[in-house]
């Protein structure tokens, strides 16, 4: 489906879809008086009141052309969510094809960013591994239009961010055999050229020179060597600092010697979603020429099994000199992030740090699949992030960072241990990371629940969601 803002309505649409607020039906002024009156009567007759998902189709002759109309219930405008918008529009559009004009008496229903993002969201398929004829090609074209003389001809930010969220979903959905650290680095490089930002990739030897021993320990069992990926977008040359982004880049997480059960391993190609997300955020900033600076660091590796791998009981020294007792090789994300956080602090001039990570199963237990857990030492930044998320229907929750959680990751033999047991597992993981930010303003987004849908939800099909890309973009653009 294609979405466009036009200056003036065409004289001939295959369908006109009217998005209706719940309550007494009022025909939009864009309909002729006769047609408006007719549909007002029809709505009354059919008890159409605009409840979410309610749909009413009808056609009439207006003297010149055949007018085919769908009334689509959107519910109360104060209760509208991204999910409701998606469900209502999907239902209304399902049997249609051709040129469709969207209209509404309620202006907020026609928000071009929400519609643009939704259209791209609904367009997404991951079918490259299906050898039969692709669904996409079979579908008949649907061209959605809204009328807005001011926005006409421009591609709304929502559409652009939707396209980029879908690129992120592609990176995540790609199975791990075709998304090794080296391939992820190549993909980042390609995107950096397409969108216009810089990309520098470091190999194993160079990573060792940086002293990123903790990061290397996690990747040491893999036949696919690690890569350190550093991306830089400069939208404001006068400003010397940048927003620092760190993405967890586990191209596969089998758990290592503390091996995962088979079922839990099945989706662990998605353990690089944080990395894909920060790549997407840089694409978005560059595409929209946002006058801000951002740098992203990704420690990409695989956590698998081999004689050369790290073991429970090992002690590794992180780049900042702190020692970590490995009590569980499956708590690997924080070990790689320890060095990625130190790297960005030591080697880059960052004003604040945001890390994005599929870090713990515990955050899924706490918040489920629809809300991202945020841990921060700067509460104001959380408020801004949540505000930025409202525009895109992405939800965030500020999680506790009390001192007791830091006690849980202290080791009797080293400075820290990487795993602290089950209770409050998302918070103890966050406190572990805090040991590596040295007081800089910092937010940690645990996206384990929101990044990937195992079963599919009403809004997301099975697989990668691309969630948080749009919010992080808006946060940097509007608040950083
Ligand atoms: N990659 C996982 C977290 C995860 C779980 C992401 C499920 C997405 C879905 C992470 O590396 C992990 O294994 N965490 C452990 C930590 C524990 C050993 C302290 C967990 O959450 O069980
Ligand atoms: Mg793990
Ligand atoms: Zn992991």
């Amino acid at each position: 489906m294609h979405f466009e803002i036009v200056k003036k309505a065409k004289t001939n649409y295959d369908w006109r879809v009217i998005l209706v607020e719940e309550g007494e039906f009022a025909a939009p002024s864009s309909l002729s008086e006769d047609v408006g009156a007719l549909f007002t009567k029809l709505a009354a007759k059919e008890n159409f009141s605009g409840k979410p998902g309610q749909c009413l189709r009808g056609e009439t002759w207006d003297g010149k052309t055949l007018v085919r109309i769908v009334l689509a219930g959107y519910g109360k405008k104060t209760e509208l969510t991204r999910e409701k918008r998606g469900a209502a529009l999907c239902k209304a559009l399902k049997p249609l094809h051709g040129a469709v004009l969207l209209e509404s008496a309620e202006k907020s229903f026609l928000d071009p960013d929400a519609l643009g993002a939704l259209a791209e969201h609904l367009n997404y398929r991951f079918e490259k591994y299906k050898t039969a004829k692709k669904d996409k090609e079979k579908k008949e074209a649907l061209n959605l239009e809204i009328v807005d003389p001011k926005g006409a001809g421009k591609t709304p930010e929502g559409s652009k961010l939707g396209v980029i969220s879908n690129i992120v979903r592609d990176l995540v959905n790609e199975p791990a055999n075709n998304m090794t650290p080296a391939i992820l680095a190549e993909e980042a490089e390609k995107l950096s050229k397409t969108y216009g930002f810089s990309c520098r990739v470091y190999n194993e030897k160079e990573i060792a020179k940086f002293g990123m021993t903790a990061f290397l320990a996690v990747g040491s069992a893999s036949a696919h060597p690690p890569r350190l990926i550093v991306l830089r977008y400069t939208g404001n040359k006068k400003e010397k600092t940048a927003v620092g982004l760190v993405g967890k880049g586990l191209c596969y997480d089998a758990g290592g010697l503390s091996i995962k059960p088979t079922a839990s391993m099945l989706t662990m190609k998605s353990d690089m979603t944080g990395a894909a997300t920060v790549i997407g955020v840089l694409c978005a900033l560059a595409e929209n020429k946002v006058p801000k600076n951002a740098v992203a660091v990704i420690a990409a590796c695989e956590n698998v099994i081999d004689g050369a791998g790290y073991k429970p009981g090992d002690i590794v020294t992180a780049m900042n000199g702190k020692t970590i007792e490995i009590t569980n090789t499956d708590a690997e994300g924080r070990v790689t992030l320890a060095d990625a956080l130190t790297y960005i602090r030591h080697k880059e001039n960052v004003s604040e740090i945001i890390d994005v990570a599929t870090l713990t199963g515990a955050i899924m237990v706490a918040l489920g699949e629809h809300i991202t857990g945020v841990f921060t030492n700067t509460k104001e930044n959380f408020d801004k992030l949540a505000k930025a998320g409202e525009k895109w229907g992405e939800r965030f929750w500020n999680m506790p960072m009390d001192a007791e959680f830091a006690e849980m990751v202290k080791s009797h033999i080293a400075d820290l241990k990487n795993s602290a047991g089950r209770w409050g597992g998302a918070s103890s993981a966050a406190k572990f990371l805090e040991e590596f930010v040295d007081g800089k303003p910092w937010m940690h987004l645990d996206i384990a629940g929101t990044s990937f849908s195992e079963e599919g939800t009403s809004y997301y099909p099975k697989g990668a969601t691309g969630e948080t890309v749009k919010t992080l973009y808006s946060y940097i653009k509007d608040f950083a």
Side-chain angles (χ1 to χ4, degrees):
M1 116 178 38
H2 188 75
F3 171 69
E4 215 175 314
I5 310 174
V6 297
K7 206 180 218 152
K8 232 175 113 228
K10 296 192 183 87
T11 48
N12 230 328
Y13 283 96
D14 293 297
W15 292 93
R16 297 171 70 156
V17 174
I18 300 168
L19 313 173
V20 183
E21 185 173 17
E22 190 169 344
E24 206 179 320
F25 177 69
S29 55
S30 49
L31 293 184
S32 74
E33 218 170 287
D34 290 353
V35 174
L38 186 73
F39 275 86
T40 307
K41 266 189 213 147
L42 187 65
K45 191 157 188 284
E46 298 291 329
N47 281 327
F48 176 91
S49 60
K51 283 201 176 18
Q54 218 184 356
C55 241
L56 185 62
R57 254 186 298 277
E59 42 199 81
T60 183
W61 181 255
D62 75 351
K64 280 184 266 154
T65 50
L66 177 69
V67 185
R68 294 196 289 178
I69 287 182
V70 183
L71 303 184
Y74 251 44
K76 299 217 169 67
K77 72 173 171 199
T78 49
E79 289 167 15
L80 186 64
T81 63
R82 169 185 75 167
E83 285 75 9
K84 278 193 198 160
R85 205 189 273 270
L89 205 63
C90 264
K91 195 167 167 205
L93 297 179
K94 200 157 190 182
L96 316 185
H97 54 85
V100 175
L101 179 67
L102 297 177
E103 297 165 281
S104 183
E106 173 47 49
K107 193 87 176 46
S108 66
F109 289 176
L110 297 175
D111 173 29
D113 282 323
L115 285 169
L118 183 58
E120 290 308 328
H121 172 72
L122 296 173
N123 279 338
Y124 187 75
R125 307 272 184 288
F126 187 76
E127 293 179 326
K128 63 186 280 200
Y129 292 101
K130 294 268 193 196
T131 55
K133 188 143 173 60
K134 308 268 156 62
D135 195 27
K136 216 184 224 164
E137 292 160 20
K138 278 186 267 167
K139 276 241 162 59
E140 285 180 88
L142 194 57
N143 290 303
L144 300 184
E145 293 185 358
I146 61 169
V147 175
D148 174 11
K150 269 190 257 134
K154 286 184 214 143
T155 307
E157 202 171 62
S159 305
K160 293 189 207 165
L161 295 180
V163 169
I164 291 167
S165 301
N166 287 348
I167 293 174
V168 171
R169 291 163 87 181
D170 274 345
L171 291 173
V172 175
N173 282 330
E174 191 66 45
N177 56 329
N178 290 328
M179 191 49 71
T180 61
I183 299 175
L184 180 64
E186 277 166 31
E187 292 299 321
E189 206 141 28
K190 277 189 227 158
L191 287 166
S192 76
K193 291 202 176 104
T194 309
Y195 284 90
F197 54 90
S198 81
C199 173
R200 183 77 209 268
V201 179
Y202 299 96
N203 66 24
E204 217 169 350
K205 276 198 189 126
E206 294 165 304
I207 296 167
K209 275 200 195 127
F210 291 138
M212 303 175 89
T213 330
F215 167 32
L216 287 177
V218 172
S220 56
S222 177
H224 304 291
R227 292 286 186 272
L228 180 73
I229 307 166
V230 180
L231 311 172
R232 198 170 285 109
Y233 167 69
T234 310
N236 181 354
K237 289 212 177 77
K238 276 186 241 142
E239 176 65 59
K240 289 288 164 268
T241 65
V243 176
L245 299 168
V246 173
K248 173 173 172 181
L250 264 290
C251 290
Y252 195 70
D253 177 18
L257 283 170
S258 312
I259 194 165
K260 286 183 185 298
T262 307
S264 314
M265 233 183 262
L266 208 50
T267 55
M268 281 302 129
K269 65 177 183 184
S270 70
D271 216 16
M272 38 60 79
T273 307
T277 302
V278 299
I279 294 171
V281 173
L282 261 75
C283 293
L285 293 169
E287 155 130 68
N288 293 292
K289 299 198 164 52
V290 172
K292 298 281 167 81
N293 301 332
V295 50
V297 170
I298 296 162
C301 66
E302 273 191 352
N303 185 26
V304 291
I305 293 192
D306 178 79
Y310 77 147
K311 304 171 291 296
D314 282 1
I315 295 176
V316 298
T317 304
M319 187 181 179
N320 70 346
K322 289 192 184 178
T323 54
I324 305 167
E325 179 196 4
I326 303 300
T327 49
N328 188 323
T329 61
D330 197 13
E332 84 298 334
R334 65 198 76 178
V335 182
T336 64
L337 290 171
D339 279 351
L341 289 166
T342 302
Y343 181 93
I344 209 166
R345 236 172 5 84
H346 286 186
K347 306 271 185 187
E348 301 290 336
N349 192 359
V350 290
S351 49
E352 66 177 290
I353 302 174
I354 306 170
D355 78 72
V356 192
T358 47
L359 201 64
T360 67
I363 200 69
M364 304 169 77
V365 175
L367 299 180
E369 280 193 291
H370 306 292
I371 302 170
T372 293
V374 182
F375 303 80
T376 184
N377 55 10
T378 316
K379 171 67 169 43
E380 311 87 86
N381 289 359
F382 167 79
D383 295 333
K384 293 172 185 168
L385 184 82
K387 184 88 202 119
E390 276 171 24
K391 181 172 172 64
W392 307 110
E394 297 182 338
R395 288 168 275 170
F396 299 86
W397 191 260
N398 186 34
M399 295 289 290
M401 289 280 284
D402 297 63
E404 284 81 356
F405 294 115
E407 291 303 312
M408 294 170 69
V409 288
K410 286 197 173 142
S411 163
H412 75 287
I413 186 172
D415 299 334
L416 296 163
K417 60 182 176 192
N418 74 326
S419 162
R422 277 159 59 76
W423 310 133
S427 286
S428 59
K431 287 308 256 190
F432 179 96
L433 297 182
E434 197 180 23
E435 296 286 332
F436 300 89
V437 297
D438 203 29
K440 266 236 180 283
W442 158 73
M443 276 193 279
H444 154 57
L445 275 55
D446 194 336
I447 56 167
T450 49
S451 57
F452 196 88
S453 184
E454 264 170 62
E455 297 299 325
T457 68
S458 67
Y459 186 74
Y460 284 119
K462 278 186 194 201
T465 62
E467 186 118 352
T468 76
V469 176
K470 299 182 186 77
T471 299
L472 284 167
Y473 162 82
S474 288
Y475 172 84
I476 295 173
K477 178 179 166 227
D478 296 333
F479 296 117

